[in-house]
């Protein structure tokens, strides 16, 4: 399998490119709209063909590139079926693998950050989205978040994967790129070790994080599989990059 981990610095988002060496078919997990040119250039350089985009959930901190990539190269849009987005062509459900060439991803429903959140297992890798981060987890105080659901998703699903499975999150804010199930199970300060549900609930309630600055634009745009909204304030236009310019031009 061809594999690349890509980083978008504005939202600190990791996008993952997985390609089949035999067929040249590829999938992008959590693509970001203002990184489209980077992703398409890499796909071309590797002589791959983008067949599918696959989001872990409805994002609140960036706009997915799913719709624009479909318009540019004809890739299909895959996303969790539970969200019932009319723009999705490949609805994802647990127990139904997603295949692109020889690349097979097993979806795991991991609610808590959002109720429709999914992680994807591929061989000895797991793409955990915002459910499980390196030494952390996604917040649970907005967009159908539920601390108890996230605790169960991580402890009863992700932490039951083999120790050696590599953890590839959707974000990291300290330059870290990969962890492992064994490491997170042992050391994650929010969810690892002997952490109880009550302790986790208290940790999440005491975070007191600021309201996400892009959420009011990102969530409606991502419910349409990646529409950059018109009328963005100047300080947020970078989140859509050239897409904002094209809509206003």
């Amino acid at each position: 399998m061809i594999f690349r981990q890509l980083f978008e610095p504005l939202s600190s988002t990791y996008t993952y490119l997985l390609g089949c060496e035999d067929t040249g078919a590829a999938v992008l997990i959590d693509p970001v709209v203002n990184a489209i040119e980077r992703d398409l250039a890499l796909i071309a350089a590797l002589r791959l063909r983008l067949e599918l985009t696959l989001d872990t959930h409805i994002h609140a901190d960036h706009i997915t590139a799913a719709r624009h990539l479909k318009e540019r190269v004809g890739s299909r849009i895959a996303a969790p079926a539970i969200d019932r987005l009319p723009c999705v062509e490949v609805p994802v459900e647990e127990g139904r693998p997603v295949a692109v060439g020889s690349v097979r991803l097993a979806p795991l429903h991991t609610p808590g950050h959002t109720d429709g959140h999914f992680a994807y297992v591929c061989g000895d890798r797991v793409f955990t989205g915002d459910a499980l981060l390196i030494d952390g987890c996604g917040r649970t105080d907005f967009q159908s978040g539920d601390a108890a659901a996230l605790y169960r998703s991580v402890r009863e699903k992700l932490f039951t994967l083999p120790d050696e499975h590599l953890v590839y999150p959707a974000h990291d804010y300290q330059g870290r790129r990969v962890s492992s199930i064994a490491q997170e199970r042992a050391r994650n300060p929010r969810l690892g070790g002997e952490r109880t549900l009550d302790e986790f609930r208290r940790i999440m309630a005491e975070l007191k994080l600021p309201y996400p600055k892009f959420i009011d634009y990102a969530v409606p745009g991502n419910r349409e599989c990646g529409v950059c909204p018109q009328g963005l304030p100047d300080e947020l236009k970078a989140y859509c990059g050239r897409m904002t310019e094209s809509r206003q031009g």
Side-chain angles (χ1 to χ4, degrees):
M1 182 178 73
I2 297 167
F3 174 71
R4 297 290 188 277
Q5 182 183 35
L6 305 165
F7 184 67
E8 193 288 303
L10 186 62
S11 58
S12 297
T13 298
Y14 283 124
T15 294
Y16 299 96
L17 173 65
L18 288 68
C20 172
E21 293 181 295
D22 296 328
T23 66
V27 55
L28 278 173
I29 299 175
D30 287 338
V32 181
V33 76
N34 53 313
I36 280 179
E37 301 305 331
R38 175 203 66 186
D39 295 349
L40 289 178
L42 177 61
I43 290 166
L46 294 171
R47 298 183 179 180
L48 296 173
R49 178 184 67 261
L50 184 63
E51 288 202 351
L52 196 71
T53 57
L54 178 61
D55 278 291
T56 52
H57 63 292
I58 295 175
H59 304 278
D61 52 11
H62 68 268
I63 298 286
T64 177
R67 179 181 290 272
H68 289 281
L69 286 167
K70 176 184 177 180
E71 293 170 354
R72 290 279 294 273
V73 298
S75 48
R76 294 175 299 154
I77 297 173
I82 191 172
D83 292 318
R84 297 191 176 115
L85 305 183
C87 48
V88 168
E89 300 156 288
V90 182
V92 173
E93 296 178 330
E94 187 167 329
R96 296 177 57 186
V98 177
V100 177
S102 60
V103 177
R104 290 177 63 85
L105 297 119
L108 292 178
H109 186 208
T110 49
H113 176 63
T114 69
D115 56 6
H117 192 288
F118 270 73
Y120 302 108
V121 179
C122 183
D124 63 353
R125 299 172 172 92
V126 56
F127 303 96
T128 55
D130 286 28
L132 178 62
L133 307 178
I134 298 171
D135 287 343
C137 63
R139 57 195 292 179
T140 58
D141 58 336
F142 66 88
Q143 204 184 352
S144 70
D146 184 320
L150 184 57
Y151 182 89
R152 290 191 295 270
S153 292
V154 173
R155 303 272 301 196
E156 297 175 12
K157 286 193 175 180
L158 296 177
F159 280 178
T160 62
L161 294 171
D163 285 357
E164 63 273 14
H165 268 44
L166 299 176
V167 172
Y168 286 102
H171 301 282
D172 193 80
Y173 306 97
Q174 299 181 41
R176 299 165 298 190
R177 299 178 67 87
V178 63
S179 183
S180 70
I181 290 295
Q183 177 173 311
E184 296 307 316
R185 190 192 298 123
R187 291 175 29 186
N188 190 291
R190 296 183 185 174
L191 287 153
E194 300 302 317
R195 185 72 68 196
T196 67
L197 172 57
D198 285 342
E199 289 172 329
F200 178 64
R201 278 179 164 148
R202 185 178 68 252
I203 289 169
M204 300 308 287
E206 293 175 353
L207 288 178
K208 310 245 184 272
L209 298 171
Y211 187 74
K213 61 183 176 182
F214 195 50
I215 185 172
D216 293 332
Y217 302 96
V219 170
N222 287 327
R223 292 195 67 85
E224 296 184 65
C225 296
V227 171
C228 285
Q230 293 183 342
L232 274 177
D234 288 344
E235 67 270 19
L236 298 179
K237 286 182 178 178
Y239 283 89
C240 280
R242 294 174 59 185
M243 303 303 158
T244 301
E245 296 171 11
S246 65
R247 284 178 63 85
Q248 294 177 345

